[in-house]
Amino acid sequence: MDLAYIPSPSTGVINLGPVPLRGYAFCIIIGVFVAVWYGNRRWIARGGTAGTVADIAVWAVPFGLVGGRLYHVITDYQLYFSEGRNWVDAFKIWEGGLGIWGAIALGAVGAWIGCRRRGIPLPAYADAIAPGIAFAQAIGRWGNWFNQELYGRPTDLPWALEISEGVNREGGLYHPTFLYESLWCVGVALLVIWADRRFTLGHGRAFALYVAAYCAGRGWIEYMRVDDAHHILGLRLNVWTAIIVFLLAVTYIVLSARKRPGREAVVEPAAAKAAAEKAAGGTEEAAESGAAESGAAKTDLTKPDADKTGDQPGDKTGAEKPGDQPEADEAADTADAGAKAPQKS
């Protein structure tokens, strides 16, 4: 008897009247929201403006969804185009089936278009959104839990995943590879955030670190899965893809660090220009205000004091005013009277 395991939901769809809410799609939407929100915070911290990440995501997300679906359909074409299959199912993205390799590749094309329209370097944008993409993958993997897909080999571990009997699957307890990858993606995001702060990564190296770290985990997790897949030289196709992409990412980090060390000083030219103009305008206003205050002070220093007029030594204006010497006039009158009076012997 199994005392502990991770149960799977009985259904991946919740119907709100005529509107079906699918767990897989819900996880993808939440993941995109988190990636854009956190990427916007990092972009502003790098000197960009709010809203730029969302504007470019309008291009990147649709391209990424199309790319992810194309990769899945091409690499698992037998699910849609073999005998007894309906090719229309290839368009039913809500039933699961998004290849991260195609999503990142074509999503980068959409981001490139959005960046060109805004005059922004793509590597700087990629560095800003890299941890957010990893967080989005961590959330999106729970969509596989809702669909009871992409699990690993049978196991009796306490955290085994219960899979119910269904089409193309056998009920039992299996390794929850969706959970392994979800936790790994959280670790990748934290690694990129730490390394970016510690080493000041720039020119796309933070994004390359995310790619390399994700591939390292995806390789061993993919090796545990038991769902149908194409094999080359005994290894699953996605294992080979992880190895090749990992080597390319590491090579880019090494060459980029030698050729373009450091980080971009300006990530959004329009924002930098607006900030410079605002700073220049503030400096001019301060200079004009200072000049006005200096002129006012000079006027106060040169203005004569009307209250003190005539009190200064040698002030002739006050001395020439009539009636200013009453005592002198009285002395003159007394002298005249004494001269006219008879003198006693």
Side-chain angles (χ1 to χ4, degrees), residues 223-239:
Y223 187 74
M224 297 177 63
R225 283 167 45 174
V226 295
D227 53 300
D228 292 334
H230 297 287
H231 288 72
I232 300 175
L233 300 178
L235 293 179
R236 294 166 65 95
L237 175 61
N238 282 332
V239 175

PDB file of all heavy atoms in Angstrom, residues 223-239:
ATOM      1  N   TYR A 223      15.829  12.433 -19.799  1.00  0.00           N
ATOM      2  CA  TYR A 223      16.289  11.043 -19.837  1.00  0.00           C
ATOM      3  C   TYR A 223      15.392  10.136 -18.989  1.00  0.00           C
ATOM      4  O   TYR A 223      15.313   8.926 -19.230  1.00  0.00           O
ATOM      5  CB  TYR A 223      17.733  10.979 -19.328  1.00  0.00           C
ATOM      6  CG  TYR A 223      18.377   9.627 -19.468  1.00  0.00           C
ATOM      7  CD1 TYR A 223      18.793   9.166 -20.723  1.00  0.00           C
ATOM      8  CD2 TYR A 223      18.552   8.812 -18.357  1.00  0.00           C
ATOM      9  CE1 TYR A 223      19.380   7.912 -20.842  1.00  0.00           C
ATOM     10  CE2 TYR A 223      19.141   7.556 -18.471  1.00  0.00           C
ATOM     11  CZ  TYR A 223      19.555   7.117 -19.731  1.00  0.00           C
ATOM     12  OH  TYR A 223      20.126   5.871 -19.859  1.00  0.00           O
ATOM     13  N   MET A 224      14.694  10.721 -18.010  1.00  0.00           N
ATOM     14  CA  MET A 224      13.834   9.938 -17.129  1.00  0.00           C
ATOM     15  C   MET A 224      12.451   9.695 -17.715  1.00  0.00           C
ATOM     16  O   MET A 224      11.726   8.804 -17.236  1.00  0.00           O
ATOM     17  CB  MET A 224      13.679  10.652 -15.778  1.00  0.00           C
ATOM     18  CG  MET A 224      14.964  10.812 -14.990  1.00  0.00           C
ATOM     19  SD  MET A 224      14.689  11.738 -13.463  1.00  0.00           S
ATOM     20  CE  MET A 224      13.563  10.629 -12.608  1.00  0.00           C
ATOM     21  N   ARG A 225      12.063  10.452 -18.705  1.00  0.00           N
ATOM     22  CA  ARG A 225      10.696  10.359 -19.219  1.00  0.00           C
ATOM     23  C   ARG A 225      10.475   9.071 -20.011  1.00  0.00           C
ATOM     24  O   ARG A 225      11.409   8.511 -20.597  1.00  0.00           O
ATOM     25  CB  ARG A 225      10.387  11.582 -20.079  1.00  0.00           C
ATOM     26  CG  ARG A 225      10.098  12.808 -19.228  1.00  0.00           C
ATOM     27  CD  ARG A 225      10.081  14.107 -19.988  1.00  0.00           C
ATOM     28  NE  ARG A 225       9.346  14.066 -21.235  1.00  0.00           N
ATOM     29  CZ  ARG A 225       9.115  15.147 -21.994  1.00  0.00           C
ATOM     30  NH1 ARG A 225       9.555  16.334 -21.593  1.00  0.00           N
ATOM     31  NH2 ARG A 225       8.461  15.043 -23.121  1.00  0.00           N
ATOM     32  N   VAL A 226       9.203   8.626 -20.045  1.00  0.00           N
ATOM     33  CA  VAL A 226       8.860   7.367 -20.712  1.00  0.00           C
ATOM     34  C   VAL A 226       7.851   7.568 -21.833  1.00  0.00           C
ATOM     35  O   VAL A 226       7.427   6.580 -22.451  1.00  0.00           O
ATOM     36  CB  VAL A 226       8.300   6.351 -19.693  1.00  0.00           C
ATOM     37  CG1 VAL A 226       9.375   5.964 -18.688  1.00  0.00           C
ATOM     38  CG2 VAL A 226       7.075   6.903 -18.982  1.00  0.00           C
ATOM     39  N   ASP A 227       7.439   8.815 -22.116  1.00  0.00           N
ATOM     40  CA  ASP A 227       6.509   9.048 -23.206  1.00  0.00           C
ATOM     41  C   ASP A 227       7.218   8.804 -24.537  1.00  0.00           C
ATOM     42  O   ASP A 227       8.444   8.832 -24.627  1.00  0.00           O
ATOM     43  CB  ASP A 227       5.945  10.469 -23.146  1.00  0.00           C
ATOM     44  CG  ASP A 227       7.031  11.519 -23.084  1.00  0.00           C
ATOM     45  OD1 ASP A 227       7.828  11.485 -22.112  1.00  0.00           O
ATOM     46  OD2 ASP A 227       7.105  12.357 -23.991  1.00  0.00           O
ATOM     47  N   ASP A 228       6.445   8.577 -25.568  1.00  0.00           N
ATOM     48  CA  ASP A 228       7.010   8.281 -26.879  1.00  0.00           C
ATOM     49  C   ASP A 228       7.839   9.448 -27.390  1.00  0.00           C
ATOM     50  O   ASP A 228       7.456  10.618 -27.259  1.00  0.00           O
ATOM     51  CB  ASP A 228       5.889   7.986 -27.883  1.00  0.00           C
ATOM     52  CG  ASP A 228       5.162   6.683 -27.558  1.00  0.00           C
ATOM     53  OD1 ASP A 228       5.797   5.808 -26.923  1.00  0.00           O
ATOM     54  OD2 ASP A 228       3.976   6.557 -27.916  1.00  0.00           O
ATOM     55  N   ALA A 229       8.985   9.137 -27.975  1.00  0.00           N
ATOM     56  CA  ALA A 229       9.870  10.161 -28.521  1.00  0.00           C
ATOM     57  C   ALA A 229      10.818   9.517 -29.517  1.00  0.00           C
ATOM     58  O   ALA A 229      11.084   8.305 -29.457  1.00  0.00           O
ATOM     59  CB  ALA A 229      10.665  10.850 -27.408  1.00  0.00           C
ATOM     60  N   HIS A 230      11.336  10.332 -30.433  1.00  0.00           N
ATOM     61  CA  HIS A 230      12.327   9.846 -31.385  1.00  0.00           C
ATOM     62  C   HIS A 230      13.677   9.704 -30.687  1.00  0.00           C
ATOM     63  O   HIS A 230      14.030  10.512 -29.821  1.00  0.00           O
ATOM     64  CB  HIS A 230      12.449  10.818 -32.565  1.00  0.00           C
ATOM     65  CG  HIS A 230      11.194  10.935 -33.362  1.00  0.00           C
ATOM     66  ND1 HIS A 230      10.757   9.934 -34.210  1.00  0.00           N
ATOM     67  CD2 HIS A 230      10.272  11.925 -33.447  1.00  0.00           C
ATOM     68  CE1 HIS A 230       9.621  10.310 -34.791  1.00  0.00           C
ATOM     69  NE2 HIS A 230       9.304  11.517 -34.338  1.00  0.00           N
ATOM     70  N   HIS A 231      14.420   8.674 -31.071  1.00  0.00           N
ATOM     71  CA  HIS A 231      15.727   8.414 -30.474  1.00  0.00           C
ATOM     72  C   HIS A 231      16.815   8.468 -31.544  1.00  0.00           C
ATOM     73  O   HIS A 231      16.614   8.037 -32.685  1.00  0.00           O
ATOM     74  CB  HIS A 231      15.753   7.042 -29.790  1.00  0.00           C
ATOM     75  CG  HIS A 231      14.973   6.986 -28.518  1.00  0.00           C
ATOM     76  ND1 HIS A 231      13.586   6.994 -28.472  1.00  0.00           N
ATOM     77  CD2 HIS A 231      15.378   6.915 -27.214  1.00  0.00           C
ATOM     78  CE1 HIS A 231      13.168   6.929 -27.219  1.00  0.00           C
ATOM     79  NE2 HIS A 231      14.238   6.881 -26.440  1.00  0.00           N
ATOM     80  N   ILE A 232      17.964   9.027 -31.151  1.00  0.00           N
ATOM     81  CA  ILE A 232      19.139   9.060 -32.022  1.00  0.00           C
ATOM     82  C   ILE A 232      20.310   8.522 -31.227  1.00  0.00           C
ATOM     83  O   ILE A 232      20.659   9.070 -30.168  1.00  0.00           O
ATOM     84  CB  ILE A 232      19.434  10.497 -32.509  1.00  0.00           C
ATOM     85  CG1 ILE A 232      18.239  11.056 -33.288  1.00  0.00           C
ATOM     86  CG2 ILE A 232      20.690  10.533 -33.361  1.00  0.00           C
ATOM     87  CD1 ILE A 232      18.408  12.505 -33.702  1.00  0.00           C
ATOM     88  N   LEU A 233      20.904   7.430 -31.716  1.00  0.00           N
ATOM     89  CA  LEU A 233      22.018   6.787 -31.022  1.00  0.00           C
ATOM     90  C   LEU A 233      21.666   6.451 -29.572  1.00  0.00           C
ATOM     91  O   LEU A 233      22.484   6.595 -28.660  1.00  0.00           O
ATOM     92  CB  LEU A 233      23.265   7.673 -31.073  1.00  0.00           C
ATOM     93  CG  LEU A 233      23.803   8.005 -32.470  1.00  0.00           C
ATOM     94  CD1 LEU A 233      25.005   8.930 -32.363  1.00  0.00           C
ATOM     95  CD2 LEU A 233      24.158   6.737 -33.227  1.00  0.00           C
ATOM     96  N   GLY A 234      20.446   6.015 -29.382  1.00  0.00           N
ATOM     97  CA  GLY A 234      20.022   5.564 -28.067  1.00  0.00           C
ATOM     98  C   GLY A 234      19.542   6.654 -27.132  1.00  0.00           C
ATOM     99  O   GLY A 234      19.075   6.358 -26.032  1.00  0.00           O
ATOM    100  N   LEU A 235      19.633   7.918 -27.544  1.00  0.00           N
ATOM    101  CA  LEU A 235      19.187   9.031 -26.705  1.00  0.00           C
ATOM    102  C   LEU A 235      17.976   9.707 -27.327  1.00  0.00           C
ATOM    103  O   LEU A 235      17.849   9.783 -28.559  1.00  0.00           O
ATOM    104  CB  LEU A 235      20.307  10.065 -26.524  1.00  0.00           C
ATOM    105  CG  LEU A 235      21.538   9.624 -25.721  1.00  0.00           C
ATOM    106  CD1 LEU A 235      22.552  10.768 -25.665  1.00  0.00           C
ATOM    107  CD2 LEU A 235      21.150   9.198 -24.312  1.00  0.00           C
ATOM    108  N   ARG A 236      17.108  10.200 -26.471  1.00  0.00           N
ATOM    109  CA  ARG A 236      15.931  10.917 -26.946  1.00  0.00           C
ATOM    110  C   ARG A 236      16.344  12.182 -27.694  1.00  0.00           C
ATOM    111  O   ARG A 236      17.382  12.793 -27.379  1.00  0.00           O
ATOM    112  CB  ARG A 236      15.022  11.275 -25.764  1.00  0.00           C
ATOM    113  CG  ARG A 236      14.401  10.065 -25.085  1.00  0.00           C
ATOM    114  CD  ARG A 236      13.799  10.449 -23.749  1.00  0.00           C
ATOM    115  NE  ARG A 236      12.694  11.367 -23.883  1.00  0.00           N
ATOM    116  CZ  ARG A 236      11.398  11.016 -23.937  1.00  0.00           C
ATOM    117  NH1 ARG A 236      11.061   9.741 -23.850  1.00  0.00           N
ATOM    118  NH2 ARG A 236      10.449  11.927 -24.044  1.00  0.00           N
ATOM    119  N   LEU A 237      15.526  12.589 -28.639  1.00  0.00           N
ATOM    120  CA  LEU A 237      15.836  13.766 -29.458  1.00  0.00           C
ATOM    121  C   LEU A 237      16.055  15.009 -28.606  1.00  0.00           C
ATOM    122  O   LEU A 237      16.989  15.784 -28.837  1.00  0.00           O
ATOM    123  CB  LEU A 237      14.704  14.016 -30.458  1.00  0.00           C
ATOM    124  CG  LEU A 237      14.828  15.296 -31.304  1.00  0.00           C
ATOM    125  CD1 LEU A 237      16.087  15.279 -32.151  1.00  0.00           C
ATOM    126  CD2 LEU A 237      13.582  15.468 -32.180  1.00  0.00           C
ATOM    127  N   ASN A 238      15.221  15.187 -27.586  1.00  0.00           N
ATOM    128  CA  ASN A 238      15.342  16.379 -26.751  1.00  0.00           C
ATOM    129  C   ASN A 238      16.610  16.365 -25.892  1.00  0.00           C
ATOM    130  O   ASN A 238      17.097  17.423 -25.492  1.00  0.00           O
ATOM    131  CB  ASN A 238      14.116  16.527 -25.851  1.00  0.00           C
ATOM    132  CG  ASN A 238      12.923  17.083 -26.610  1.00  0.00           C
ATOM    133  OD1 ASN A 238      13.084  17.807 -27.591  1.00  0.00           O
ATOM    134  ND2 ASN A 238      11.725  16.735 -26.165  1.00  0.00           N
ATOM    135  N   VAL A 239      17.147  15.184 -25.609  1.00  0.00           N
ATOM    136  CA  VAL A 239      18.416  15.112 -24.890  1.00  0.00           C
ATOM    137  C   VAL A 239      19.539  15.637 -25.773  1.00  0.00           C
ATOM    138  O   VAL A 239      20.393  16.419 -25.326  1.00  0.00           O
ATOM    139  CB  VAL A 239      18.715  13.675 -24.433  1.00  0.00           C
ATOM    140  CG1 VAL A 239      20.104  13.592 -23.804  1.00  0.00           C
ATOM    141  CG2 VAL A 239      17.657  13.205 -23.445  1.00  0.00           C
TER     142      VAL A 239
END
